Amino acid sequence: MIPFLDLKAQYASIKSEIDTAVLGVLASAQYILGDEVAHLEEEFAAYCDVRHAVAVNTGTSALHLALLAAGVGPGDEVVTVPFTFVATVSAICYTGALPVFVDVEPVTLTMDPAKLEAAITPRTKAIIPVHLYGQMADMDAITAIAARHGIPVIEDACQAHGAEYKGHRAGSMGISGCFSFYPGKNLGACGEGGIAVTNDDAHAKTMRMLRDWGQERRYHHVMKGFNYRMDGIQGAILRVKLRHLDAWTAARRAHAAHYSSLLAGLDTIKTPVEVADRRHVYHIYAVRCRDRDGLHRALEAEGIQSGLHYPIPVHLQKAHGDLGYRPGDFPVSEAAARTVLSLPIYPEMTAKQVEQVVAAVEQDAYVG
């Protein structure tokens, strides 16, 4: 069997480092926030080339706090895309604001700047482009439109640790950037975790207070906050993994290049495109296939795990039916939802495993 990802193999490769880090936290008894989390914040901020990082319990919490720090609240609108994990939209809803969707580009499946301006109204308080699958959205175009309207941009970089746009790291181009450390992410915790990064001193201060019950200092609550704190064990584990992230990214990119080379002649499969001036970190290696579901089942029957990211766009999810969107409103997102299949990709894969996956795809890819 070839798994979709192999977290056991990752742990085995750095077991002594992880074990030492965890035991250090147990010895220090700094279980919530503490020195390890503070050091992670410093190191991840440097990695993203920003001044501040605020560690929290999930990527969703990071998005929520970034929106609140930007002043988003009830009655406001936030523009984002429907082809994303539902957490992007849930974070908007947590603030009481209304999610407003624009479709994605057909090549990158990230926010289409050509459709953005039409979605902006006097109530628009923020724009959230999603750096889907590990490739950044067209940030120059998006930030230019946002600047004309005086609207902050919050980057959903939950799948894009280390991705770049014209030399700028993911998370560094908006007022803030938000990352998830869910275990399967390129930089994943051994549990839940997330972080928000920013160059804005006031936003960083606000997010730090909001994550810890709105405290300015202990028992001095200056705003209504949340229990969104990162625990010390996750901070220590993530510090270890951050030291390996560049090597892991290089391995992912090598596997992606191998996939794309081997699949280039298969006309039933469309491989992902790394746009010029962008550095794709391949959290997901997503191909397009007309009979996606047939290929998914066939690979599973051969012991090869694949994923569906994402089979139902958010505007058609039952939970968000109250937004009033209908099938056909965002045709590019809907077409992607029908055709995208995620092939196995993780740093510990071997070239032989990539070749085995490709052989199975060549045998089972359906024209549909």
Side-chain angles (χ1 to χ4, degrees):
M1 190 184 90
I2 298 177
F4 184 68
L5 75 164
D6 194 342
L7 295 179
K8 291 181 179 180
Q10 184 185 82
Y11 171 59
S13 72
I14 53 172
K15 182 179 186 302
S16 62
E17 295 174 75
I18 294 290
D19 293 355
T20 298
V22 170
L23 290 173
V25 175
L26 296 179
S28 73
Q30 293 184 352
Y31 300 125
I32 305 298
L33 297 176
D35 291 343
E36 291 290 344
V37 173
H39 291 318
L40 171 68
E41 290 174 332
E42 294 169 2
E43 291 160 9
F44 196 75
Y47 183 80
C48 295
D49 196 25
V50 296
R51 288 204 302 273
H52 305 285
V54 181
V56 292
N57 60 339
T58 67
T60 312
S61 298
L63 286 164
H64 184 199
L65 297 191
L67 286 162
L68 293 176
V72 175
D76 296 329
E77 295 176 354
V78 177
V79 179
T80 191
V81 295
F83 195 62
T84 181
F85 183 59
V86 71
T88 310
V89 178
S90 296
I92 297 168
C93 295
Y94 292 169
T95 70
L98 180 72
V100 174
F101 295 122
V102 296
D103 213 347
V104 296
E105 296 177 330
V107 174
T108 66
L109 303 182
T110 59
M111 180 177 281
D112 188 343
K115 295 176 178 148
L116 174 56
E117 202 141 22
I120 294 173
T121 75
R123 295 169 62 188
T124 305
K125 204 64 173 284
I127 297 168
I128 303 182
V130 178
H131 302 328
L132 194 73
Y133 299 156
Q135 180 160 231
M136 291 179 67
D138 187 352
M139 290 299 292
D140 278 354
I142 291 167
T143 56
I145 293 167
R148 284 202 300 271
H149 293 270
I151 300 169
V153 173
I154 296 169
E155 298 175 61
D156 183 338
C158 287
Q159 302 180 7
H161 314 69
E164 294 180 3
Y165 178 95
K166 298 182 179 179
H168 299 283
R169 279 280 167 95
S172 69
M173 297 189 71
I175 190 68
S176 56
C178 302
F179 297 82
S180 168
F181 296 137
Y182 186 77
K185 295 296 169 67
N186 292 26
L187 179 60
C190 294
E192 297 278 8
I195 204 163
V197 301
T198 184
N199 282 311
D200 189 289
D201 298 346
H203 279 226
K205 182 179 179 181
T206 297
M207 290 189 287
R208 288 187 190 284
M209 288 190 290
L210 285 171
R211 75 171 174 186
D212 191 17
W213 297 113
Q215 297 181 103
E216 192 171 42
R217 63 184 192 275
R218 192 165 176 81
Y219 300 131
H220 289 72
H221 303 268
V222 298
M223 59 182 68
K224 294 177 181 177
F226 308 89
N227 182 6
Y228 282 175
R229 299 169 298 196
M230 177 179 281
D231 71 71
I233 287 176
Q234 301 308 332
I237 289 168
L238 287 162
R239 289 187 70 203
V240 170
K241 290 190 173 187
L242 181 57
R243 297 196 290 267
H244 296 274
L245 181 56
D246 284 342
W248 289 343
T249 298
R252 284 178 177 273
R253 287 175 53 79
H255 294 326
H258 197 187
Y259 266 132
S260 294
S261 174
L262 295 174
L263 290 168
L266 193 61
D267 59 8
T268 54
I269 293 291
K270 189 179 294 184
T271 57
V273 174
E274 181 180 55
V275 178
D277 295 326
R278 302 186 207 182
R279 179 179 184 252
H280 201 319
V281 295
Y282 293 100
H283 170 59
I284 297 292
Y285 185 87
V287 300
R288 308 281 293 275
C289 179
R290 291 181 194 173
D291 186 7
R292 183 271 314 280
D293 294 335
L295 179 57
H296 181 56
R297 289 190 299 268
L299 292 177
E300 194 74 22
E302 295 190 38
I304 297 171
Q305 294 181 347
S306 57
L308 305 179
H309 300 91
Y310 300 95
I312 305 174
V314 181
H315 71 288
L316 299 182
Q317 294 282 357
K318 182 178 180 180
H320 293 287
D322 59 328
L323 297 176
Y325 293 105
R326 296 289 182 267
D329 286 344
F330 305 104
V332 181
S333 294
E334 292 169 34
R338 292 190 299 268
T339 58
V340 164
L341 183 70
S342 308
L343 300 182
I345 191 165
Y346 49 93
E348 299 78 18
M349 274 188 92
T350 65
K352 183 178 179 181
Q353 286 177 311
V354 172
E355 291 158 9
Q356 288 174 319
V357 174
V358 170
V361 170
E362 289 175 334
Q363 176 178 312
D364 297 316
Y366 295 84
V367 175

